[in-house]
């Protein structure tokens, strides 16, 4: 069954009622009285805010540097997504909602420029105010801001949204909310948030929270999944969908913000449709047949060998490599250290030694992509090789006794020989014996006679950076090496819902793990690696690390007022993550490999983050006469 939302008559007359109310208010309340509320002490309103220093773009800028303000409007784009969905509430832990829903339907007080490490410009808010210590942040709403049903976006909507997300929303929203002392309205169209602890990033994070319509949720539980689309103020509305199969977004011709400088050249397509696939091979075939307009290729080998279909040869499809300067992040096999078998770093190091990356990378990718030797590789936030020095060493020194070997002294991933990996396997056996695992017959066992047995959980359909075929091949090669040292790995394949349920509850031993990292890591790092995630379900801390050093580095990042101090804290965190042996890393892509219909276009200017949310499909357009 296809759902096509249609508003009640009240929704259609709401814009007229709202306009009438505004006209009455304008007549009764003098403009001077509405605009001359006292500003926050010690600060002045600004058009934007940056983590450090000032925004690159001045007040009154014409458009974002990576947008084409002359891009034509119209047309549609069809994209494929792996997995499925059963909910249209993307703001809670329960259910699976399309990831793209909030970016198309809802808006935030400010919008992020993906051409700067962490800088925001006003969207729903026309200005932002904070002090030097960033002990508070205040936003002034644009009076013209409207939800898609025509009703105004109010201070009450903002306050309700922030409180609800912070108390009932996904854990992603809750962590930062614990640092909020109060949220109030000091004057017309103004929202003030006071913080209870030092954290320079909080002012920016509050600017990136989605603003929802309070009235839509009255008398209902926000924490329940639903197939009713949220009412947002964004450029698109949900047009139609079939749970698990597709969702279509239609551009709102009455979108209130279409003429704002931050939106010029953005949101050019009339329709954006996502088709969902449980099998990536089927999705690739759909792209080859022209049913999909865009394909992001994760395999360097396939990029070179499998793009030989007629549409490419005939010029109807083009291939492009889009460079970026964002950190590598982490992709690989993660150990769940909540399981006693992986609690010892020596066991994790031994299993890493058994992973012959050189042989695997040569076999699968021809070594086309570099290995992830640092979680912040490809940026100046990455740890430096060799022993820690200077400020990085000083930050780590108080935790030296509890850090994994190599954190301060210098850690590098083991290098295989690509020909059986015998030397590394011998080192692995020695470490396992130190940790209490010895060969008894042809099997590894501990003193109690228990076998070294664990499960590798894999999701049908593959992951974001490694394809399904590659996960099978990588896992098979690793399993063969593990059996040579007496381990007994077992592979379990599950569908997307089961995978989400099991990883949310940390019900796995080893699985594939991908975390993208930005050039401005902050509060989300506590969600990724904070000790709270050892027991609290639904966090990104799949490895179960509870590291006082990691948490201290994150806090230092959040309190740093100097870019060099901030960089030192991130590099120190990188050392804790890398030397902790939490993940066996594979490779990362220094370019995004994208194939797309030839009548789709994007601006020549490529932002700092490259192909990142905010680029495709936001700044793309379709040539006149393109596929409809």
């Amino acid at each position: 069954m296809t759902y096509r939302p249609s508003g009640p008559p009240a929704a259609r007359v709401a814009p007229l009622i709202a306009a009438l109310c505004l006209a009455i208010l304008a007549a009764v309340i003098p403009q001077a009285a509405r605009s001359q509320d006292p500003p926050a002490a010690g600060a002045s309103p600004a058009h934007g805010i940056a983590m450090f220093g000032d925004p690159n773009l001045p007040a009154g800028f014409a458009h974002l540097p990576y947008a084409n303000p002359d891009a034509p409007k119209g047309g549609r784009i069809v994209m494929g997504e792996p997995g499925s969905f059963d909910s249209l509430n993307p703001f809670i832990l329960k259910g699976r909602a399309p990831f793209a829903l909030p970016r198309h339907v809802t808006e935030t007080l400010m919008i992020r420029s993906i051409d700067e490490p962490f800088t925001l410009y006003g969207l729903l808010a026309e200005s932002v105010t904070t002090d030097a210590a960033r002990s508070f942040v205040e936003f002034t709403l644009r009076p013209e801001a409207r939800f898609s049903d025509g009703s105004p976006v109010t201070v009450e909507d903002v306050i309700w949204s922030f409180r609800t997300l912070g108390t009932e929303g996904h854990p992603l929203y809750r962590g930062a909310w614990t640092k909020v002392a109060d949220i109030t309205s000091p004057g017309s169209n103004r929202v003030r948030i006071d913080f209870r602890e030092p954290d320079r990033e909080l002012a920016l994070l509050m600017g990136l929270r989605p603003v929802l319509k309070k009235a839509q949720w009255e008398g209902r539980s926000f924490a329940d999944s639903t197939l009713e689309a949220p009412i947002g103020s964004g450029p698109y509305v949900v047009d139609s969908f079939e749970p698990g199969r597709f969702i279509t977004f239609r551009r709102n011709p009455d979108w209130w913000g279409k003429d704002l400088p931050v939106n010029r050249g953005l949101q050019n397509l009339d329709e954006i449709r996502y088709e969902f696939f449980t099998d990536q091979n089927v999705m690739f075939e759909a792209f080859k047949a022209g049913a999909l307009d865009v394909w992001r290729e994760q395999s360097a080998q396939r990029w070179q060998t499998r793009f030989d279909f007629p549409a490419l040869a005939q010029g109807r499809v083009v291939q492009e490599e889009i460079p970026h300067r964002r950190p590598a992040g982490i992709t690989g096999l993660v150990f769940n250290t909540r399981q006693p078998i992986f609690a010892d770093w020596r066991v994790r190091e031994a299993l890493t030694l058994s992973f012959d990356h050189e042989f695997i990378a040569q076999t699968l990718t021809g070594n086309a992509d570099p290995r992830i030797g640092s979680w912040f590789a490809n940026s100046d936030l990455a740890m430096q090789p060799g022993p820690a020095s200077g400020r990085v060493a000083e930050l780590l020194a108080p935790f030296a006794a509890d850090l994994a070997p190599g954190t301060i002294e210098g850690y590098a991933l083991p290098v295989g020989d690509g020909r059986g990996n015998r030397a590394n396997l011998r080192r692995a056996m020695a470490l396992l014996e130190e940790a209490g695992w010895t060969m008894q017959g042809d099997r590894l066992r501990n003193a109690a006679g228990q076998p070294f047995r664990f499960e590798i959980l894999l999701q049908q359909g593959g992951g974001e950076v490694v394809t399904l075929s590659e996960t099978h091949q990588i896992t098979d090669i690793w399993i063969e090496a593990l059996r040579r040292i007496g381990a007994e790995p077992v592979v379990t394949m599950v569908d997307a819902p089961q995978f989400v349920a099991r990883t949310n509850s940390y019900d796995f031993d080893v699985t594939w793990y991908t975390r993208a990292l930005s050039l401005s890591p902050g509060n989300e790092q506590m969600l990724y690696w904070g000790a709270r995630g050892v027991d609290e379900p639904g966090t990104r801390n799949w490895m179960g690390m509870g590291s006082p050093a990691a948490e201290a580095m994150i806090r230092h990042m959040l309190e740093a007022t100097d870019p060099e101090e901030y960089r030192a804290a991130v590099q120190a965190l990188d050392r804790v993550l890398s030397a902790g042996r939490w993940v066996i890393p594979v490779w990362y892509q220094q370019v995004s490999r994208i194939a797309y219909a030839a009548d789709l276009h994007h601006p020549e200017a490529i932002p700092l983050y490259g192909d990142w949310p905010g680029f495709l499909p936001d700044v793309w357009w379709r040539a006149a006469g393109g596929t409809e």
Side-chain angles (χ1 to χ4, degrees), residues 125 207 270 285 288 381 394 419 515 518 568-569:
D270 283 345
E285 292 302 316
K288 289 167 57 178
L381 299 176
E394 292 175 3
R419 299 184 305 275
R515 287 292 167 261
S518 75

Side-chain angles (χ1 to χ4, degrees), residues 9 13 84 88 90 159 161 165 185 210 251 288 298 362 375 404 433 444-446 491 549 565 584 597 608:
V13 301
S84 180
L88 294 184
I159 293 176
S161 298
L165 290 169
S185 176
R251 188 153 59 93
K288 289 167 57 178
Q298 310 298 351
Q362 181 59 47
W375 293 33
E433 186 171 353
L444 270 178
R445 298 183 184 274
N446 60 15
V491 174
E565 188 73 4
I584 301 177
L608 179 71

Side-chain angles (χ1 to χ4, degrees), residues 30 43 88 112 118 133-134 158 172 220 231 250 278 311 332 358 443 447 478 504 507 520 538 544 557 570 575 600 621:
L88 294 184
R112 184 169 189 164
F118 199 1
R134 297 206 173 161
V158 176
L172 176 67
R220 301 169 50 189
I231 296 173
R250 173 177 48 82
T278 56
E358 284 60 40
R443 292 289 182 267
W478 188 42
N504 275 344
D507 178 22
S520 55
M557 289 156 49
V570 179
R575 286 177 171 268
L600 283 171
W621 66 90

Side-chain angles (χ1 to χ4, degrees), residues 61 161 202 213 232 262 275-276 291 332 358 365 376 396 400 415 437 572 596 605 621:
F61 66 90
S161 298
L202 285 176
K213 183 178 172 65
V262 292
E275 298 277 356
F276 288 78
E358 284 60 40
T365 73
F376 289 91
L396 292 172
V415 178
W437 297 92
Y596 53 90
W621 66 90

Side-chain angles (χ1 to χ4, degrees), residues 93 170-172 503-506 527 536-542:
L93 187 58
H170 193 282
L172 176 67
T503 52
N504 275 344
S505 60
Y506 314 125
L527 180 70
E536 181 180 315
T539 73
R540 304 296 192 267
N541 187 357
W542 288 12

Side-chain angles (χ1 to χ4, degrees), residues 176-259:
W177 191 250
T178 62
K179 301 179 181 182
V180 171
D182 200 8
I183 179 169
T184 58
S185 176
S188 60
N189 272 22
R190 282 164 49 194
V191 176
R192 177 183 172 112
I193 305 169
D194 291 281
F195 305 121
R196 64 174 79 249
E197 60 184 81
D199 185 334
R200 290 185 53 80
E201 191 189 36
L202 285 176
L204 287 83
L205 292 183
M206 295 300 111
L208 290 177
R209 300 222 151 183
V211 176
L212 307 174
K213 183 178 172 65
K214 177 184 177 182
Q216 183 184 15
W217 299 92
E218 288 178 346
R220 301 169 50 189
S221 171
F222 184 79
D224 291 338
S225 62
T226 177
L227 286 174
E228 179 182 343
I231 296 173
S233 60
Y236 293 87
V237 296
V238 174
D239 184 50
S240 61
F241 64 92
E242 288 187 20
R245 289 194 55 203
F246 75 87
I247 185 168
T248 300
F249 300 94
R250 173 177 48 82
R251 188 153 59 93
N252 179 7
D254 300 319
W255 177 34
W256 74 274
K258 59 180 178 294
D259 296 322

Side-chain angles (χ1 to χ4, degrees), residues 6 25 79 231 279 330 374 517 519:
S6 59
L25 285 173
M79 297 188 288
I231 296 173
D279 187 302
I330 189 67
S374 154
L517 298 175
L519 290 166

